[in-house]
PDB file of all heavy atoms in Angstrom:
ATOM      1  N   GLU A  53     168.909 279.224 102.482  1.00 97.00           N
ATOM      2  CA  GLU A  53     170.070 279.682 103.244  1.00 97.00           C
ATOM      3  C   GLU A  53     169.694 280.189 104.631  1.00 97.00           C
ATOM      4  O   GLU A  53     170.494 280.088 105.567  1.00 97.00           O
ATOM      5  CB  GLU A  53     170.826 280.754 102.469  1.00 97.00           C
ATOM      6  CG  GLU A  53     171.577 280.203 101.272  1.00 97.00           C
ATOM      7  CD  GLU A  53     172.679 281.142 100.807  1.00 97.00           C
ATOM      8  OE1 GLU A  53     172.682 282.322 101.214  1.00 97.00           O
ATOM      9  OE2 GLU A  53     173.539 280.676 100.037  1.00 97.00           O
ATOM     10  N   ALA A  54     168.497 280.723 104.763  1.00 97.00           N
ATOM     11  CA  ALA A  54     168.073 281.220 106.067  1.00 97.00           C
ATOM     12  C   ALA A  54     167.910 280.086 107.076  1.00 97.00           C
ATOM     13  O   ALA A  54     167.912 280.322 108.285  1.00 97.00           O
ATOM     14  CB  ALA A  54     166.761 281.992 105.933  1.00 97.00           C
ATOM     15  N   ASN A  55     167.781 278.846 106.578  1.00 97.00           N
ATOM     16  CA  ASN A  55     167.537 277.703 107.454  1.00 97.00           C
ATOM     17  C   ASN A  55     168.709 276.728 107.521  1.00 97.00           C
ATOM     18  O   ASN A  55     168.596 275.675 108.161  1.00 97.00           O
ATOM     19  CB  ASN A  55     166.284 276.963 106.983  1.00 97.00           C
ATOM     20  CG  ASN A  55     165.041 277.816 107.062  1.00 97.00           C
ATOM     21  OD1 ASN A  55     164.915 278.652 107.955  1.00 97.00           O
ATOM     22  ND2 ASN A  55     164.125 277.647 106.122  1.00 97.00           N
ATOM     23  N   LEU A  56     169.824 277.057 106.876  1.00 98.00           N
ATOM     24  CA  LEU A  56     171.002 276.196 106.931  1.00 98.00           C
ATOM     25  C   LEU A  56     171.942 276.666 108.033  1.00 98.00           C
ATOM     26  O   LEU A  56     172.105 277.872 108.244  1.00 98.00           O
ATOM     27  CB  LEU A  56     171.758 276.231 105.600  1.00 98.00           C
ATOM     28  CG  LEU A  56     171.165 275.456 104.423  1.00 98.00           C
ATOM     29  CD1 LEU A  56     171.965 275.759 103.158  1.00 98.00           C
ATOM     30  CD2 LEU A  56     171.172 273.949 104.699  1.00 98.00           C
ATOM     31  N   PRO A  57     172.597 275.738 108.749  1.00 97.00           N
ATOM     32  CA  PRO A  57     173.647 276.157 109.681  1.00 97.00           C
ATOM     33  C   PRO A  57     174.761 276.863 108.923  1.00 97.00           C
ATOM     34  O   PRO A  57     174.999 276.580 107.753  1.00 97.00           O
ATOM     35  CB  PRO A  57     174.150 274.824 110.268  1.00 97.00           C
ATOM     36  CG  PRO A  57     173.063 273.836 110.003  1.00 97.00           C
ATOM     37  CD  PRO A  57     172.407 274.275 108.725  1.00 97.00           C
ATOM     38  N   THR A  58     175.434 277.779 109.575  1.00 97.00           N
ATOM     39  CA  THR A  58     176.561 278.439 108.931  1.00 97.00           C
ATOM     40  C   THR A  58     177.846 277.683 109.256  1.00 97.00           C
ATOM     41  O   THR A  58     178.008 277.135 110.351  1.00 97.00           O
ATOM     42  CB  THR A  58     176.680 279.900 109.381  1.00 97.00           C
ATOM     43  OG1 THR A  58     176.752 279.965 110.801  1.00 97.00           O
ATOM     44  CG2 THR A  58     175.493 280.700 108.871  1.00 97.00           C
ATOM     45  N   CYS A  59     178.754 277.661 108.274  1.00 96.00           N
ATOM     46  CA  CYS A  59     179.983 276.882 108.384  1.00 96.00           C
ATOM     47  C   CYS A  59     181.193 277.803 108.364  1.00 96.00           C
ATOM     48  O   CYS A  59     181.307 278.677 107.507  1.00 96.00           O
ATOM     49  CB  CYS A  59     180.098 275.906 107.207  1.00 96.00           C
ATOM     50  SG  CYS A  59     178.712 274.774 107.071  1.00 96.00           S
ATOM     51  N   SER A  60     182.113 277.566 109.267  1.00 96.00           N
ATOM     52  CA  SER A  60     183.357 278.312 109.302  1.00 96.00           C
ATOM     53  C   SER A  60     184.297 277.791 108.223  1.00 96.00           C
ATOM     54  O   SER A  60     184.087 276.718 107.643  1.00 96.00           O
ATOM     55  CB  SER A  60     184.022 278.162 110.670  1.00 96.00           C
ATOM     56  OG  SER A  60     184.452 276.815 110.849  1.00 96.00           O
ATOM     57  N   LEU A  61     185.358 278.532 107.969  1.00 96.00           N
ATOM     58  CA  LEU A  61     186.357 278.099 107.003  1.00 96.00           C
ATOM     59  C   LEU A  61     186.999 276.791 107.443  1.00 96.00           C
ATOM     60  O   LEU A  61     187.246 275.905 106.614  1.00 96.00           O
ATOM     61  CB  LEU A  61     187.426 279.186 106.829  1.00 96.00           C
ATOM     62  CG  LEU A  61     188.509 278.917 105.782  1.00 96.00           C
ATOM     63  CD1 LEU A  61     187.903 278.707 104.397  1.00 96.00           C
ATOM     64  CD2 LEU A  61     189.511 280.074 105.757  1.00 96.00           C
ATOM     65  N   ASP A  62     187.242 276.617 108.735  1.00 95.00           N
ATOM     66  CA  ASP A  62     187.843 275.378 109.223  1.00 95.00           C
ATOM     67  C   ASP A  62     186.939 274.177 108.948  1.00 95.00           C
ATOM     68  O   ASP A  62     187.418 273.098 108.591  1.00 95.00           O
ATOM     69  CB  ASP A  62     188.112 275.478 110.732  1.00 95.00           C
ATOM     70  CG  ASP A  62     189.309 276.374 111.047  1.00 95.00           C
ATOM     71  OD1 ASP A  62     190.116 276.635 110.123  1.00 95.00           O
ATOM     72  OD2 ASP A  62     189.429 276.812 112.207  1.00 95.00           O
ATOM     73  N   THR A  63     185.637 274.357 109.109  1.00 95.00           N
ATOM     74  CA  THR A  63     184.705 273.279 108.810  1.00 95.00           C
ATOM     75  C   THR A  63     184.736 272.934 107.333  1.00 95.00           C
ATOM     76  O   THR A  63     184.757 271.755 106.952  1.00 95.00           O
ATOM     77  CB  THR A  63     183.271 273.674 109.219  1.00 95.00           C
ATOM     78  OG1 THR A  63     183.232 273.920 110.622  1.00 95.00           O
ATOM     79  CG2 THR A  63     182.269 272.581 108.878  1.00 95.00           C
ATOM     80  N   LEU A  64     184.755 273.943 106.484  1.00 96.00           N
ATOM     81  CA  LEU A  64     184.768 273.699 105.044  1.00 96.00           C
ATOM     82  C   LEU A  64     186.051 273.015 104.601  1.00 96.00           C
ATOM     83  O   LEU A  64     186.044 272.226 103.653  1.00 96.00           O
ATOM     84  CB  LEU A  64     184.581 275.015 104.288  1.00 96.00           C
ATOM     85  CG  LEU A  64     183.192 275.646 104.417  1.00 96.00           C
ATOM     86  CD1 LEU A  64     183.158 276.988 103.700  1.00 96.00           C
ATOM     87  CD2 LEU A  64     182.115 274.723 103.865  1.00 96.00           C
ATOM     88  N   LYS A  65     187.147 273.267 105.279  1.00 95.00           N
ATOM     89  CA  LYS A  65     188.402 272.601 104.927  1.00 95.00           C
ATOM     90  C   LYS A  65     188.331 271.101 105.215  1.00 95.00           C
ATOM     91  O   LYS A  65     189.004 270.298 104.568  1.00 95.00           O
ATOM     92  CB  LYS A  65     189.568 273.219 105.691  1.00 95.00           C
ATOM     93  CG  LYS A  65     189.970 274.591 105.180  1.00 95.00           C
ATOM     94  CD  LYS A  65     191.122 275.145 106.004  1.00 95.00           C
ATOM     95  CE  LYS A  65     191.532 276.516 105.542  1.00 95.00           C
ATOM     96  NZ  LYS A  65     192.622 277.076 106.384  1.00 95.00           N
ATOM     97  N   ILE A  66     187.521 270.705 106.186  1.00 95.00           N
ATOM     98  CA  ILE A  66     187.316 269.285 106.447  1.00 95.00           C
ATOM     99  C   ILE A  66     186.367 268.703 105.408  1.00 95.00           C
ATOM    100  O   ILE A  66     186.585 267.611 104.864  1.00 95.00           O
ATOM    101  CB  ILE A  66     186.770 269.062 107.868  1.00 95.00           C
ATOM    102  CG1 ILE A  66     187.768 269.581 108.911  1.00 95.00           C
ATOM    103  CG2 ILE A  66     186.471 267.584 108.112  1.00 95.00           C
ATOM    104  CD1 ILE A  66     187.255 269.533 110.327  1.00 95.00           C
ATOM    105  N   ALA A  67     185.312 269.452 105.106  1.00 93.00           N
ATOM    106  CA  ALA A  67     184.342 268.977 104.112  1.00 93.00           C
ATOM    107  C   ALA A  67     184.961 268.857 102.730  1.00 93.00           C
ATOM    108  O   ALA A  67     184.690 267.908 101.987  1.00 93.00           O
ATOM    109  CB  ALA A  67     183.135 269.919 104.073  1.00 93.00           C
ATOM    110  N   TYR A  68     185.778 269.827 102.371  1.00 89.00           N
ATOM    111  CA  TYR A  68     186.412 269.855 101.048  1.00 89.00           C
ATOM    112  C   TYR A  68     187.918 269.667 101.225  1.00 89.00           C
ATOM    113  O   TYR A  68     188.721 270.536 100.889  1.00 89.00           O
ATOM    114  CB  TYR A  68     186.099 271.172 100.346  1.00 89.00           C
ATOM    115  CG  TYR A  68     184.627 271.417 100.166  1.00 89.00           C
ATOM    116  CD1 TYR A  68     183.931 272.259 101.030  1.00 89.00           C
ATOM    117  CD2 TYR A  68     183.917 270.780  99.153  1.00 89.00           C
ATOM    118  CE1 TYR A  68     182.572 272.475 100.880  1.00 89.00           C
ATOM    119  CE2 TYR A  68     182.556 270.997  98.999  1.00 89.00           C
ATOM    120  CZ  TYR A  68     181.889 271.832  99.861  1.00 89.00           C
ATOM    121  OH  TYR A  68     180.539 272.038  99.718  1.00 89.00           O
ATOM    122  N   ALA A  69     188.290 268.516 101.770  1.00 88.00           N
ATOM    123  CA  ALA A  69     189.681 268.275 102.149  1.00 88.00           C
ATOM    124  C   ALA A  69     190.641 268.420 100.972  1.00 88.00           C
ATOM    125  O   ALA A  69     191.742 268.946 101.121  1.00 88.00           O
ATOM    126  CB  ALA A  69     189.823 266.890 102.778  1.00 88.00           C
ATOM    127  N   THR A  70     190.237 267.961  99.791  1.00 85.00           N
ATOM    128  CA  THR A  70     191.139 268.027  98.636  1.00 85.00           C
ATOM    129  C   THR A  70     191.304 269.455  98.122  1.00 85.00           C
ATOM    130  O   THR A  70     192.213 269.723  97.338  1.00 85.00           O
ATOM    131  CB  THR A  70     190.635 267.125  97.494  1.00 85.00           C
ATOM    132  OG1 THR A  70     189.315 267.539  97.109  1.00 85.00           O
ATOM    133  CG2 THR A  70     190.603 265.659  97.939  1.00 85.00           C
ATOM    134  N   SER A  71     190.411 270.346  98.545  1.00 86.00           N
ATOM    135  CA  SER A  71     190.497 271.749  98.113  1.00 86.00           C
ATOM    136  C   SER A  71     190.868 272.676  99.264  1.00 86.00           C
ATOM    137  O   SER A  71     190.710 273.889  99.156  1.00 86.00           O
ATOM    138  CB  SER A  71     189.149 272.196  97.515  1.00 86.00           C
ATOM    139  OG  SER A  71     188.818 271.439  96.373  1.00 86.00           O
ATOM    140  N   ALA A  72     191.380 272.117 100.356  1.00 87.00           N
ATOM    141  CA  ALA A  72     191.656 272.920 101.549  1.00 87.00           C
ATOM    142  C   ALA A  72     192.606 274.072 101.249  1.00 87.00           C
ATOM    143  O   ALA A  72     192.409 275.197 101.714  1.00 87.00           O
ATOM    144  CB  ALA A  72     192.212 272.031 102.661  1.00 87.00           C
ATOM    145  N   ALA A  73     193.646 273.788 100.456  1.00 88.00           N
ATOM    146  CA  ALA A  73     194.604 274.854 100.128  1.00 88.00           C
ATOM    147  C   ALA A  73     193.948 275.943  99.291  1.00 88.00           C
ATOM    148  O   ALA A  73     194.191 277.137  99.498  1.00 88.00           O
ATOM    149  CB  ALA A  73     195.802 274.267  99.384  1.00 88.00           C
ATOM    150  N   HIS A  74     193.082 275.539  98.347  1.00 91.00           N
ATOM    151  CA  HIS A  74     192.390 276.519  97.505  1.00 91.00           C
ATOM    152  C   HIS A  74     191.479 277.415  98.337  1.00 91.00           C
ATOM    153  O   HIS A  74     191.284 278.590  98.015  1.00 91.00           O
ATOM    154  CB  HIS A  74     191.569 275.813  96.434  1.00 91.00           C
ATOM    155  CG  HIS A  74     192.390 275.118  95.394  1.00 91.00           C
ATOM    156  ND1 HIS A  74     193.362 275.762  94.663  1.00 91.00           N
ATOM    157  CD2 HIS A  74     192.385 273.840  94.968  1.00 91.00           C
ATOM    158  CE1 HIS A  74     193.921 274.912  93.830  1.00 91.00           C
ATOM    159  NE2 HIS A  74     193.357 273.732  93.999  1.00 91.00           N
ATOM    160  N   LEU A  75     190.916 276.856  99.403  1.00 94.00           N
ATOM    161  CA  LEU A  75     189.993 277.630 100.228  1.00 94.00           C
ATOM    162  C   LEU A  75     190.681 278.778 100.958  1.00 94.00           C
ATOM    163  O   LEU A  75     190.021 279.690 101.445  1.00 94.00           O
ATOM    164  CB  LEU A  75     189.284 276.709 101.229  1.00 94.00           C
ATOM    165  CG  LEU A  75     188.200 275.803 100.630  1.00 94.00           C
ATOM    166  CD1 LEU A  75     187.778 274.737 101.633  1.00 94.00           C
ATOM    167  CD2 LEU A  75     186.991 276.620 100.184  1.00 94.00           C
ATOM    168  N   GLU A  76     192.009 278.741 101.025  1.00 93.00           N
ATOM    169  CA  GLU A  76     192.745 279.869 101.592  1.00 93.00           C
ATOM    170  C   GLU A  76     192.780 281.051 100.626  1.00 93.00           C
ATOM    171  O   GLU A  76     193.064 282.186 101.026  1.00 93.00           O
ATOM    172  CB  GLU A  76     194.181 279.447 101.922  1.00 93.00           C
ATOM    173  CG  GLU A  76     194.290 278.431 103.047  1.00 93.00           C
ATOM    174  CD  GLU A  76     194.043 279.057 104.412  1.00 93.00           C
ATOM    175  OE1 GLU A  76     193.843 280.286 104.488  1.00 93.00           O
ATOM    176  OE2 GLU A  76     194.048 278.308 105.406  1.00 93.00           O
ATOM    177  N   ASP A  77     192.493 280.783  99.366  1.00 94.00           N
ATOM    178  CA  ASP A  77     192.550 281.797  98.303  1.00 94.00           C
ATOM    179  C   ASP A  77     191.208 282.527  98.232  1.00 94.00           C
ATOM    180  O   ASP A  77     190.181 281.926  97.920  1.00 94.00           O
ATOM    181  CB  ASP A  77     192.862 281.107  96.977  1.00 94.00           C
ATOM    182  CG  ASP A  77     193.007 282.076  95.816  1.00 94.00           C
ATOM    183  OD1 ASP A  77     192.665 283.270  95.980  1.00 94.00           O
ATOM    184  OD2 ASP A  77     193.416 281.641  94.739  1.00 94.00           O
ATOM    185  N   ILE A  78     191.217 283.813  98.522  1.00 95.00           N
ATOM    186  CA  ILE A  78     189.982 284.595  98.531  1.00 95.00           C
ATOM    187  C   ILE A  78     189.308 284.573  97.165  1.00 95.00           C
ATOM    188  O   ILE A  78     188.078 284.472  97.064  1.00 95.00           O
ATOM    189  CB  ILE A  78     190.258 286.051  98.969  1.00 95.00           C
ATOM    190  CG1 ILE A  78     190.716 286.078 100.428  1.00 95.00           C
ATOM    191  CG2 ILE A  78     189.022 286.922  98.777  1.00 95.00           C
ATOM    192  CD1 ILE A  78     191.119 287.450 100.923  1.00 95.00           C
ATOM    193  N   VAL A  79     190.085 284.651  96.086  1.00 95.00           N
ATOM    194  CA  VAL A  79     189.520 284.641  94.735  1.00 95.00           C
ATOM    195  C   VAL A  79     188.777 283.328  94.480  1.00 95.00           C
ATOM    196  O   VAL A  79     187.654 283.321  93.958  1.00 95.00           O
ATOM    197  CB  VAL A  79     190.614 284.855  93.672  1.00 95.00           C
ATOM    198  CG1 VAL A  79     190.038 284.689  92.265  1.00 95.00           C
ATOM    199  CG2 VAL A  79     191.236 286.234  93.826  1.00 95.00           C
ATOM    200  N   PHE A  80     189.382 282.206  94.863  1.00 94.00           N
ATOM    201  CA  PHE A  80     188.743 280.897  94.704  1.00 94.00           C
ATOM    202  C   PHE A  80     187.446 280.845  95.497  1.00 94.00           C
ATOM    203  O   PHE A  80     186.416 280.385  94.995  1.00 94.00           O
ATOM    204  CB  PHE A  80     189.693 279.788  95.158  1.00 94.00           C
ATOM    205  CG  PHE A  80     189.090 278.408  95.130  1.00 94.00           C
ATOM    206  CD1 PHE A  80     189.078 277.666  93.959  1.00 94.00           C
ATOM    207  CD2 PHE A  80     188.538 277.860  96.280  1.00 94.00           C
ATOM    208  CE1 PHE A  80     188.520 276.396  93.933  1.00 94.00           C
ATOM    209  CE2 PHE A  80     187.979 276.585  96.270  1.00 94.00           C
ATOM    210  CZ  PHE A  80     187.967 275.844  95.087  1.00 94.00           C
ATOM    211  N   ARG A  81     187.497 281.315  96.745  1.00 96.00           N
ATOM    212  CA  ARG A  81     186.287 281.272  97.575  1.00 96.00           C
ATOM    213  C   ARG A  81     185.157 282.071  96.936  1.00 96.00           C
ATOM    214  O   ARG A  81     184.008 281.611  96.890  1.00 96.00           O
ATOM    215  CB  ARG A  81     186.589 281.800  98.979  1.00 96.00           C
ATOM    216  CG  ARG A  81     187.513 280.918  99.787  1.00 96.00           C
ATOM    217  CD  ARG A  81     187.323 281.115 101.283  1.00 96.00           C
ATOM    218  NE  ARG A  81     187.508 282.492 101.723  1.00 96.00           N
ATOM    219  CZ  ARG A  81     188.625 282.985 102.228  1.00 96.00           C
ATOM    220  NH1 ARG A  81     189.708 282.208 102.319  1.00 96.00           N
ATOM    221  NH2 ARG A  81     188.693 284.240 102.641  1.00 96.00           N
ATOM    222  N   VAL A  82     185.465 283.250  96.448  1.00 96.00           N
ATOM    223  CA  VAL A  82     184.430 284.086  95.824  1.00 96.00           C
ATOM    224  C   VAL A  82     183.859 283.381  94.599  1.00 96.00           C
ATOM    225  O   VAL A  82     182.640 283.396  94.367  1.00 96.00           O
ATOM    226  CB  VAL A  82     184.995 285.466  95.455  1.00 96.00           C
ATOM    227  CG1 VAL A  82     183.997 286.251  94.601  1.00 96.00           C
ATOM    228  CG2 VAL A  82     185.324 286.258  96.716  1.00 96.00           C
ATOM    229  N   GLN A  83     184.715 282.758  93.794  1.00 95.00           N
ATOM    230  CA  GLN A  83     184.239 282.032  92.615  1.00 95.00           C
ATOM    231  C   GLN A  83     183.261 280.930  92.998  1.00 95.00           C
ATOM    232  O   GLN A  83     182.349 280.604  92.232  1.00 95.00           O
ATOM    233  CB  GLN A  83     185.428 281.426  91.858  1.00 95.00           C
ATOM    234  CG  GLN A  83     186.291 282.439  91.132  1.00 95.00           C
ATOM    235  CD  GLN A  83     187.525 281.813  90.540  1.00 95.00           C
ATOM    236  OE1 GLN A  83     187.915 280.688  90.890  1.00 95.00           O
ATOM    237  NE2 GLN A  83     188.165 282.524  89.615  1.00 95.00           N
ATOM    238  N   LYS A  84     183.444 280.344  94.181  1.00 96.00           N
ATOM    239  CA  LYS A  84     182.588 279.249  94.629  1.00 96.00           C
ATOM    240  C   LYS A  84     181.449 279.732  95.523  1.00 96.00           C
ATOM    241  O   LYS A  84     180.743 278.929  96.129  1.00 96.00           O
ATOM    242  CB  LYS A  84     183.421 278.191  95.360  1.00 96.00           C
ATOM    243  CG  LYS A  84     184.519 277.578  94.506  1.00 96.00           C
ATOM    244  CD  LYS A  84     183.985 277.042  93.182  1.00 96.00           C
ATOM    245  CE  LYS A  84     185.081 276.546  92.269  1.00 96.00           C
ATOM    246  NZ  LYS A  84     184.584 276.175  90.921  1.00 96.00           N
ATOM    247  N   GLY A  85     181.277 281.055  95.589  1.00 97.00           N
ATOM    248  CA  GLY A  85     180.129 281.602  96.312  1.00 97.00           C
ATOM    249  C   GLY A  85     180.384 281.926  97.768  1.00 97.00           C
ATOM    250  O   GLY A  85     179.439 282.226  98.507  1.00 97.00           O
ATOM    251  N   LEU A  86     181.647 281.866  98.195  1.00 97.00           N
ATOM    252  CA  LEU A  86     181.986 282.131  99.591  1.00 97.00           C
ATOM    253  C   LEU A  86     182.573 283.528  99.719  1.00 97.00           C
ATOM    254  O   LEU A  86     183.771 283.708  99.882  1.00 97.00           O
ATOM    255  CB  LEU A  86     182.976 281.072 100.089  1.00 97.00           C
ATOM    256  CG  LEU A  86     182.528 279.615  99.931  1.00 97.00           C
ATOM    257  CD1 LEU A  86     183.657 278.659 100.300  1.00 97.00           C
ATOM    258  CD2 LEU A  86     181.286 279.337 100.778  1.00 97.00           C
ATOM    259  N   ASP A  87     181.718 284.527  99.660  1.00 95.00           N
ATOM    260  CA  ASP A  87     182.172 285.900  99.763  1.00 95.00           C
ATOM    261  C   ASP A  87     182.415 286.263 101.220  1.00 95.00           C
ATOM    262  O   ASP A  87     181.834 285.684 102.135  1.00 95.00           O
ATOM    263  CB  ASP A  87     181.127 286.843  99.153  1.00 95.00           C
ATOM    264  CG  ASP A  87     179.762 286.645  99.777  1.00 95.00           C
ATOM    265  OD1 ASP A  87     179.254 285.502  99.722  1.00 95.00           O
ATOM    266  OD2 ASP A  87     179.206 287.601 100.345  1.00 95.00           O
ATOM    267  N   GLY A  88     183.290 287.215 101.435  1.00 92.00           N
ATOM    268  CA  GLY A  88     183.572 287.658 102.790  1.00 92.00           C
ATOM    269  C   GLY A  88     184.390 286.642 103.572  1.00 92.00           C
ATOM    270  O   GLY A  88     185.006 285.736 103.019  1.00 92.00           O
ATOM    271  N   GLU A  89     184.385 286.798 104.894  1.00 90.00           N
ATOM    272  CA  GLU A  89     185.200 285.947 105.763  1.00 90.00           C
ATOM    273  C   GLU A  89     184.409 284.801 106.391  1.00 90.00           C
ATOM    274  O   GLU A  89     184.955 284.005 107.147  1.00 90.00           O
ATOM    275  CB  GLU A  89     185.833 286.805 106.869  1.00 90.00           C
ATOM    276  CG  GLU A  89     186.807 287.844 106.346  1.00 90.00           C
ATOM    277  CD  GLU A  89     187.972 287.219 105.592  1.00 90.00           C
ATOM    278  OE1 GLU A  89     188.502 286.189 106.052  1.00 90.00           O
ATOM    279  OE2 GLU A  89     188.351 287.769 104.536  1.00 90.00           O
ATOM    280  N   GLY A  90     183.104 284.721 106.108  1.00 91.00           N
ATOM    281  CA  GLY A  90     182.307 283.662 106.694  1.00 91.00           C
ATOM    282  C   GLY A  90     181.904 283.998 108.121  1.00 91.00           C
ATOM    283  O   GLY A  90     182.250 285.050 108.643  1.00 91.00           O
TER     284      GLY A  90
END
């Protein structure tokens, strides 16, 4: 993780297009390892 670029929520919505709506859900994000606001 120290060597990976960091991704904004907008970037992740493009990467995970079918889950874009779920990514707005803080609970869903935390379940998938996306704690905090990014």
